[in-house]
Amino acid sequence: MAQRLVVIGADAAGMAAASQARRRRERDDLEIVAFDRGHFTSYSACGIPYWISGLVPERDQLIARAPETFRESFDIEVRLRHEVTAIDLDRREVVARDLDRGGEVRAGFDLLMYATGANPIRPDWAGGDVGGVFGMQTLDDGAALLGWLDADPAPRHAVVVGGGYIGVEMAEALIQRGLSVTLVERDEQPMSTVDPDMAELVVDAMRTLGLQIRTGLSVTGLEQRDGRVSAVVTEEGSIPADVVILGLGVRPNVALARAAGLPLGPSGGVRVDRRMRVPGVPGVWAAGDCVETLHRVSGMPVHVPLGTYANKQGRVAGINIGGGYATFAGVIGTAVTKVCDLEVGRTGLRERDAVTAGFEFVSVIAKSTNRAGYYPGARPMTVKLIAEKPSGRLLGAQIVGWSEAAKRIDTLAVALWNKMTVDDMTALDLGYAPPFAPVWDPVLIAARKAVDALAGSGR
Ligand SMILES: Cc1cc2nc3c(=O)[nH]c(=O)nc-3n(C[C@H](O)[C@H](O)[C@H](O)COP(=O)(O)OP(=O)(O)OC[C@H]3O[C@@H](n4cnc5c(N)ncnc54)[C@H](O)[C@@H]3O)c2cc1C
């Protein structure tokens, strides 16, 4: 008799797992049923800011695979608008609520894939029913925001609360739509995924876009007129707003897992082993924004909610469910973003992470250009490296600059992944021609500078 795999969450991690399992096991061996409370499968939340800005004109361009494709080409049954409300591990069944028609369905499982993603943090002051306040997590959130922006009269003043990469990308999108935008950040600087000295470069660029940036400031409430937001309230007074975007980060969505008794790790995510199995709970797997994973540099469990990990982890889980063998080797936190033309890349540990992990280190900043200085279009590029003392092992890297900056972080990510020292890196055979790099690539200049700093530190 066929086994049944039930998938909770039909986006990146869940459907990567389902597709891989199907590739390895036919329908008469494995029935697959996926539940999602939303309207879509396998969509790109990462593309939402570019849909809002108008760069990507159609919502459906962000959908990689529709439910019909899963049904027809993969023989995977997808039940959208079904919210799973309980997992019963003893009876091996899930309970789901039909959000459109009402009522409850129960589905037994032999294997369970937990892929519920993360929940955006929504502070108490945003908990009411005030119109014009948006979290940004799903295509439904994007559609609701577009509806608000296109209404008559159109909003003119936006406040983005939180300066992480989603807040920054949304701020840029709203500027491009012609709104005046204020970004409010509780910390001293937005873009805390890089060190403050690198974030400063990004902040300068954001200001030149016309973005107002208020730092060291907490939002404490909202003002409203006729049920519509009219301002955000801070300790330093109100800031007018007819649309508010929340970019306050996310937490792993583990309510169901916790209630079912699945083990959670110190970062709050579901614990998994290298094959994405939930330890101690046979036949249960988890992947994506709801799990925690190993940071390969610090050795610590971390929650890093990125689409690139969700896809890879889901794939690993699916291969294993399908009877193959695959492992997820952990993360080093490589991420890229941009503010208009300014690109930002980061990998590994920031200075504060290196301190927390107990490393002794040097850090250097090297300023260079993306192309030969004489070549048209040459623009500044700043590379920061953090290297362990005395070994010289690379611990982290950050890049800020114009074209060709962000994806240069991949060179550094490969070096970091392979535990290279900055001494080794000075000899890397990187490509050179004037349109692409100066004769000494910015990465090599930074590595040389780190070697000098280590020597100067009496290593
Ligand atoms: C605006 C934005 C920009 C981003 N940009 C990037 C980027 O540039 N690069 C990058 O790597 N990552 C980016 N991300 C993060 C990336 O989108 C996520 O890491 C990725 O979507 C996680 O995939 P997932 O499958 O784990 O979770 P999700 O994509 O969140 O999917 C989880 C699914 O589970 C469903 N679900 C949850 N609970 C239940 C339940 N009880 N019953 C039924 N269904 C349920 C949800 O409806 C959802 O569809 C961005 C995210 C956002 C919001």
Side-chain angles (χ1 to χ4, degrees):
M1 208 171 82
Q3 284 193 311
R4 184 190 280 161
L5 167 68
V6 165
V7 179
I8 312 177
D11 193 22
M15 296 322 273
S19 312
Q20 286 299 326
R22 171 57 76 233
R23 266 170 225 236
R24 287 164 179 78
R25 294 177 67 176
E26 301 286 342
R27 185 184 166 104
D28 55 5
D29 179 38
L30 184 70
E31 185 192 346
I32 306 179
V33 184
F35 290 93
D36 200 292
R37 62 187 175 196
H39 289 96
F40 307 98
T41 49
S42 292
Y43 53 91
S44 170
C46 315
I48 292 174
Y50 312 104
W51 174 36
I52 301 296
S53 72
L55 194 67
V56 176
E58 299 296 333
R59 179 198 67 195
D60 287 358
Q61 293 176 266
L62 302 184
I63 300 173
R65 275 187 194 141
E68 303 77 55
T69 312
F70 284 111
R71 274 186 210 115
E72 288 156 21
S73 308
F74 290 82
D75 226 334
I76 295 172
E77 185 187 336
V78 180
R79 298 197 191 160
L80 293 180
R81 301 289 292 150
H82 277 70
E83 179 167 35
V84 175
T85 53
I87 302 167
D88 188 332
L89 287 175
D90 294 329
R91 299 174 71 162
R92 293 195 85 76
E93 66 177 22
V94 298
V95 183
R97 192 167 44 225
D98 183 332
L99 297 175
D100 290 332
R101 284 180 286 274
E104 214 173 70
V105 295
R106 287 171 182 267
F109 62 82
D110 301 288
L111 304 167
L112 181 69
M113 178 72 215
Y114 189 83
T116 52
N119 288 326
I121 294 170
R122 205 170 173 104
D124 290 344
W125 54 258
D129 222 3
V130 185
V133 182
F134 301 90
M136 216 30 66
Q137 178 80 0
T138 62
L139 296 185
D140 288 335
D141 295 332
L145 173 60
L146 279 178
W148 189 265
L149 295 175
D150 290 339
D152 188 21
R156 289 185 300 130
H157 302 287
V159 171
V160 176
V161 188
Y165 71 91
I166 292 180
V168 168
E169 288 174 5
M170 289 306 299
E172 178 191 337
L174 294 171
I175 288 262
Q176 285 174 343
R177 288 185 65 101
L179 280 84
S180 85
V181 182
T182 305
L183 188 140
V184 181
E185 167 60 52
R186 190 180 47 190
D187 290 342
E188 286 312 310
Q189 237 157 2
M191 286 301 294
S192 62
T193 52
V194 294
D195 285 322
D197 42 15
M198 297 296 277
E200 214 172 288
L201 304 172
V202 187
V203 170
D204 289 347
M206 285 158 75
R207 289 213 160 97
T208 60
L209 284 179
L211 193 66
Q212 307 287 318
I213 302 177
R214 306 279 303 270
T215 55
L217 191 61
S218 289
V219 174
T220 54
L222 298 171
E223 287 173 12
Q224 56 170 302
R225 207 173 299 126
D226 304 326
R228 298 166 66 93
V229 68
S230 58
V232 299
V233 181
T234 74
E235 305 105 325
E236 294 176 14
S238 297
I239 305 171
D242 34 28
V243 55
V244 174
I245 309 291
L246 305 174
L248 294 160
V250 297
R251 293 202 183 99
N253 180 1
V254 293
L256 283 175
R258 184 186 288 117
L262 302 187
L264 305 181
S267 74
V270 177
R271 280 183 50 217
V272 285
D273 67 13
R274 291 167 71 87
R275 296 182 70 189
M276 307 313 294
R277 296 178 292 208
V278 178
V281 194
V284 179
W285 310 73
D289 282 6
C290 59
V291 304
E292 72 173 23
T293 190
L294 173 78
H295 198 291
R296 288 170 61 95
V297 185
S298 71
M300 292 175 179
V302 287
H303 177 241
V304 188
L306 286 175
T308 171
Y309 303 150
N311 280 288
K312 288 175 185 142
Q313 292 173 342
R315 180 172 181 276
V316 165
I319 290 172
N320 290 316
I321 291 168
Y325 180 87
T327 57
F328 183 73
V331 305
I332 55 174
T334 308
V336 287
T337 188
K338 71 171 191 64
V339 183
C340 284
D341 291 340
L342 187 77
E343 302 180 3
V344 187
R346 54 99 60 224
T347 189
L349 306 183
R350 299 164 297 186
E351 286 187 19
R352 79 190 85 146
D353 306 318
V355 170
T356 308
F359 286 108
E360 296 260 317
F361 61 89
V362 296
S363 62
V364 294
I365 287 188
K367 292 195 177 289
S368 177
T369 51
N370 57 342
R371 301 171 187 173
Y374 56 80
Y375 192 86
R379 306 283 304 267
M381 186 180 301
T382 306
V383 179
K384 176 168 186 171
L385 298 186
I386 298 168
E388 187 187 16
K389 230 168 62 171
S391 70
R393 176 187 165 195
L394 184 65
L395 298 176
Q398 297 157 30
I399 302 187
V400 176
W402 279 267
S403 45
E404 298 107 36
K407 283 299 275 179
R408 255 195 182 83
I409 203 70
D410 289 346
T411 308
L412 292 158
V414 172
L416 188 59
W417 187 273
N418 288 298
K419 299 192 168 82
M420 286 182 78
T421 65
V422 285
D423 310 64
D424 296 334
M425 286 169 56
T426 58
L428 280 174
D429 184 4
L430 304 183
Y432 160 67
F436 303 102
V439 69
W440 285 93
D441 189 275
V443 167
L444 299 178
I445 295 174
R448 279 178 22 194
K449 202 161 174 184
V451 171
D452 291 346
L454 282 162
S457 75
R459 220 191 195 200

